[in-house]
Amino acid sequence: DPHLPIVLGPPRRLLALHMASIKCRCGAVSVAFACEKPIHQLECCCVDCYSKNVWAYKKASAPLPSGVTGVHGEGKPLDLRYWPNKLAVTGKEKLAFNRLRDDAASISMVTTCCSTLLCVDHPFYQTNAVLTFPEFCPYIGAGELPEISTRAFIKDWPVEKYAELPPKPGFYLTADGPAFEPPGPETEAACAPTFTAFANPHISADAPGETFQELLAAVG
């Protein structure tokens, strides 16, 4: 019908209005994500997530965020948020990549200007997501974040300290696969989204930005 209005999709430049982002502490590097909200979230008890963030702050001689003592097992487990693996980076010349240990599976994207830990890749994410830590590197434009309902790697947290935390469904990994606490189908169902969250990219192939792997390859 020639009298019907023509509705066009949003211009590519307008997509940035709906993209959350992060910046390094000094502001020289920014990373825009391909959407406004994270695709998954967890509360994490593992030693490695804590250690890599504290390392980055100490390397920069920056004061730790409020509530973070620098000692794993004190306070509360970390807030983990996952985003699609398309990153629009400003200041790419200041990116570097490292591992917490030589045998660590995860790779961290950090900045050379102020040692900010921006995001992390791990084989478990199947190149479909990156991990971020809003307590250490806050979001811009993400609004109110979804509530976290489950915990990961709960056996890394000291037993006596874990008992003091508010109860939540949690899991840890064993040689036979994941185990759940409290045991039972309700906990398994609550934790199940973590094991399927990274099975697809969550965004279109032509979303703006580069993947973590492309940025890593460019650094060499």
Side-chain angles (χ1 to χ4, degrees):
D1 189 328
H3 300 292
L4 290 177
I6 298 174
V7 180
L8 299 176
R12 175 64 60 87
R13 65 180 180 276
L14 294 183
L15 292 177
L17 297 177
H18 306 287
M19 294 164 67
S21 64
I22 53 177
K23 285 186 178 181
C24 68
R25 280 184 291 274
C26 75
V29 180
S30 65
V31 179
F33 303 109
C35 53
E36 187 180 9
K37 299 291 183 186
I39 59 173
H40 190 58
Q41 49 274 327
L42 282 171
E43 199 173 83
C44 186
C45 298
C46 86
V47 174
D48 282 7
C49 281
Y50 203 90
S51 297
K52 65 183 62 176
N53 280 284
V54 172
W55 171 87
Y57 266 70
K58 288 185 174 179
K59 183 172 177 59
S61 299
L64 290 168
S66 176
V68 178
T69 66
V71 178
H72 175 262
E74 292 185 358
K76 70 178 188 67
L78 294 188
D79 184 336
L80 307 191
R81 306 282 171 162
Y82 299 85
W83 299 83
N85 186 20
K86 268 298 184 73
L87 312 171
V89 180
T90 301
K92 286 188 286 187
E93 69 281 1
K94 293 181 171 65
L95 292 183
F97 296 82
N98 63 30
R99 298 178 190 263
L100 188 61
R101 301 175 306 276
D102 288 343
D103 63 347
S106 64
I107 302 175
S108 299
M109 179 191 295
V110 299
T111 64
T112 58
C113 47
C114 58
S115 299
T116 297
L117 171 55
L118 296 171
C119 59
V120 173
D121 178 44
H122 189 283
F124 184 70
Y125 311 151
Q126 304 175 65
T127 72
N128 286 326
V130 295
L131 165 62
T132 63
F133 307 92
E135 292 159 312
F136 292 87
C137 192
Y139 304 132
I140 302 164
E144 185 176 352
L145 296 174
E147 184 178 350
I148 296 178
S149 59
T150 54
R151 288 195 183 108
F153 306 107
I154 58 176
K155 292 300 183 182
D156 278 21
W157 209 252
V159 174
E160 67 281 1
K161 294 293 186 180
Y162 192 83
E164 299 173 1
L165 297 175
K168 281 185 180 180
F171 70 88
Y172 59 99
L173 301 182
T174 73
D176 299 319
F180 303 91
E181 285 191 7
E186 290 185 1
T187 301
E188 293 185 30
C191 295
T194 294
F195 300 97
T196 59
F198 312 119
N200 68 76
H202 296 276
I203 52 171
S204 64
D206 65 345
E210 298 169 90
T211 67
F212 186 104
Q213 294 74 27
E214 289 168 339
L215 292 165
L216 172 61
V219 170

